[in-house]
Amino acid sequence: MQNLPRRAADDMLELLLLMMSVTTVHNADPRNHIAVIDTGYAIGPELRGKMCTDEFDLTGKGMYDADGHGTNIAAIIAKTMPRSDCIFPIKFYHTQEDNAKRGEDYQRGVIVAALYLAIKYHATHVNMSFVSNTNNLDERAMLQRLVDGGTVVT
């Protein structure tokens, strides 16, 4: 996708998301979206009322957080974010076993798709607390688009 014009790259990512059977809930929440690209989430007292109405599951396994990582990261962010913000969860990872079955190419593609969703839904902040291959040109291009658009990426 690196050499494609931006519109063609966007169309390819839309197709990728459709092929991945993305579970989506989209209600155009007017609050600032803080994208948390992680393992999903579980609603507890720390997150109640702080989640956006938009959420994406790129795993096909539902938003359930199998290991608690995404829930904990979202809870930490929720404690410090302004009331005008909401957490926009994008689940890209389910379990080690599940990801091992799908392979490294799938994992690289799903990270690019998650970053694309952060761009498309105008995330003001993106949290990615995972290790990734920085040599992935498509991933780097998406990160650059986010930064160039004024999104804070951590």
Side-chain angles (χ1 to χ4, degrees), residues 82-149:
R83 287 180 164 233
S84 60
D85 292 353
C86 62
I87 294 172
F88 170 41
I90 303 172
K91 182 176 180 178
F92 86 104
Y93 185 92
H94 187 61
T95 63
Q96 255 184 334
E97 296 80 24
D98 184 59
N99 282 21
K101 285 180 199 171
R102 295 176 188 233
E104 193 174 312
D105 287 341
Y106 169 83
Q107 196 60 38
R108 280 195 292 257
V110 80
I111 291 170
V112 171
L115 292 169
Y116 174 73
L117 287 168
I119 293 167
K120 182 174 180 175
Y121 290 93
H122 311 288
T124 55
H125 297 78
V126 175
N127 177 269
M128 302 172 18
S129 58
F130 54 87
V131 176
S132 179
N133 179 355
T134 56
N135 292 324
N136 182 335
L137 296 179
D138 294 327
E139 184 179 329
R140 290 173 74 181
M142 287 293 153
L143 287 167
Q144 192 62 54
R145 280 179 68 180
L146 283 161
V147 171
D148 290 348

Side-chain angles (χ1 to χ4, degrees), residues 1 3-15 116 145:
M1 284 185 277
N3 296 323
L4 294 174
R6 182 171 284 184
R7 183 67 242 156
D10 288 353
D11 289 344
M12 294 259 306
L13 283 165
E14 289 283 350
L15 180 61
Y116 174 73
R145 280 179 68 180

Side-chain angles (χ1 to χ4, degrees), residues 34-41 56-59 62-77 87-95 99 107 110-111 114-115 126-131 154:
I34 300 173
V36 177
I37 301 172
D38 216 301
T39 59
Y41 71 96
F56 290 90
D57 169 31
L58 302 180
T59 67
M63 293 305 289
Y64 170 73
D65 189 357
D67 72 4
H69 189 269
T71 301
N72 288 326
I73 294 298
I76 291 167
I77 292 168
I87 294 172
F88 170 41
I90 303 172
K91 182 176 180 178
F92 86 104
Y93 185 92
H94 187 61
T95 63
N99 282 21
Q107 196 60 38
V110 80
I111 291 170
L115 292 169
V126 175
N127 177 269
M128 302 172 18
S129 58
F130 54 87
V131 176
T154 56

